[in-house]
Amino acid sequence: GAVVSQHPSWVICKSGTSVKIECRSLDFQATTMFWYRQFPKQSLMLMATSNEGSKATYEQGVEKDKFLINHASLTLSTLTVTSAHPEDSSFYICSATPGTDTGELFFGEGSRLTVL
Amino acid sequence: KQEVTQIPAALSVPEGENLVLNCSFTDSAIYNLQWFRQDPGKGLTSLLLIQSSQREQTSGRLNASLDKSSGRSTLYIAASQPGDSATYLCAATGNQFYFGTGTSLTVIP
């Protein structure tokens, strides 16, 4: 299957700093990538849909100025958590679809963010 | 809005048992249904994808079925092993991807 890579897998930062998480599709081009947040023992919560070359579409309740998403190329999308606070600590996961007829979705390994 | 429900939320079985995980969705106008596995602290691994025109898909000990008219999908795991212990998520694809809340499976050696 297709491979999606996330980096970093684990990051700890101080409150008030910004953190960037990268999501790369390694062996396919992804016009659309998705960013999720997952709290312990809960399912995925879609944060935003990232489209290459255009602005991301944010889900209701997600602060677009806090969670900056950039999809500058067909293989890379980034999520920047700006002015991070402890309540932003979470597991962030990206996914991508090659856009084939099957619409199959492939996920990154996730990034654990801890804000002190 | 599509709602996806998974039952049971947690399941514990002895090694070797066959088991069924259930996924139900409210809007039958889906493009496909995909089953994933998530290990603790990890991302999701795609297990099986059933397109809307298909009834089932098989991979090894896994078999997934889809009944769009009743809004149900099942994941059958044969001869369960301790390594199958994980959280299993289903996702229905329409205009967006809608995830269920997952079933946490524990296979006891």
Side-chain angles (χ1 to χ4, degrees):
Chain A
V3 179
V4 177
S5 174
Q6 264 184 261
H7 177 80
S9 56
W10 194 292
V11 57
I12 301 173
C13 69
K14 292 182 179 180
S15 185
T17 61
S18 295
V19 174
K20 180 185 285 188
I21 301 171
E22 294 186 348
C23 178
R24 293 181 184 271
S25 56
L26 298 186
D27 51 2
F28 66 97
Q29 293 184 331
T31 55
T32 304
M33 291 184 174
F34 304 90
W35 286 96
Y36 305 84
R37 184 173 181 176
Q38 187 178 35
F39 293 102
K41 297 187 178 181
Q42 293 189 25
S43 189
L44 303 173
M45 182 190 78
L46 179 65
M47 298 175 65
T49 301
S50 170
N51 297 297
E52 188 268 336
S54 63
K55 292 183 178 180
T57 303
Y58 290 81
E59 294 300 300
Q60 191 173 8
V62 178
E63 299 177 62
K64 61 180 65 177
D65 295 330
K66 180 162 189 66
F67 299 101
L68 300 179
I69 291 173
N70 183 277
H71 193 157
S73 77
L74 288 172
T75 59
L76 173 65
S77 177
T78 61
L79 168 67
T80 301
V81 182
T82 62
S83 186
H85 288 94
E87 57 264 31
D88 298 325
S89 299
S90 191
F91 193 56
Y92 293 88
I93 309 176
C94 72
S95 70
T97 175
T100 61
D101 292 343
T102 65
E104 191 167 2
L105 202 58
F106 298 95
F107 282 81
E109 281 293 305
S111 299
R112 171 76 59 193
L113 171 63
T114 301
V115 184
L116 302 177
Chain B
K1 180 183 176 182
Q2 177 75 276
E3 292 184 7
V4 182
T5 306
Q6 288 186 247
I7 296 173
L11 181 64
S12 184
V13 299
E15 182 177 3
E17 272 203 7
N18 303 323
L19 57 100
V20 176
L21 307 180
N22 297 292
C23 172
S24 61
F25 45 95
T26 55
D27 186 352
S28 63
I30 62 171
Y31 188 59
N32 63 43
L33 190 131
Q34 198 167 352
W35 281 92
F36 297 90
R37 166 185 175 144
Q38 185 177 30
D39 293 289
K42 300 290 186 180
L44 276 65
T45 301
S46 179
L47 297 174
L48 290 165
L49 179 143
I50 312 174
Q51 297 183 57
S52 61
S53 59
Q54 299 174 328
R55 298 280 295 185
E56 66 177 344
Q57 283 288 323
T58 298
S59 176
R61 294 182 293 108
L62 306 179
N63 175 277
S65 67
L66 174 64
D67 184 344
K68 284 179 54 179
S69 60
S70 66
R72 293 181 184 176
S73 177
T74 61
L75 178 66
Y76 175 83
I77 302 177
S80 59
Q81 302 172 359
D84 295 331
S85 299
T87 296
Y88 291 80
L89 293 155
C90 66
T93 304
N95 292 325
Q96 298 181 32
F97 295 91
Y98 297 92
F99 283 87
T101 49
T103 295
S104 177
L105 172 66
T106 302
V107 180
I108 304 167

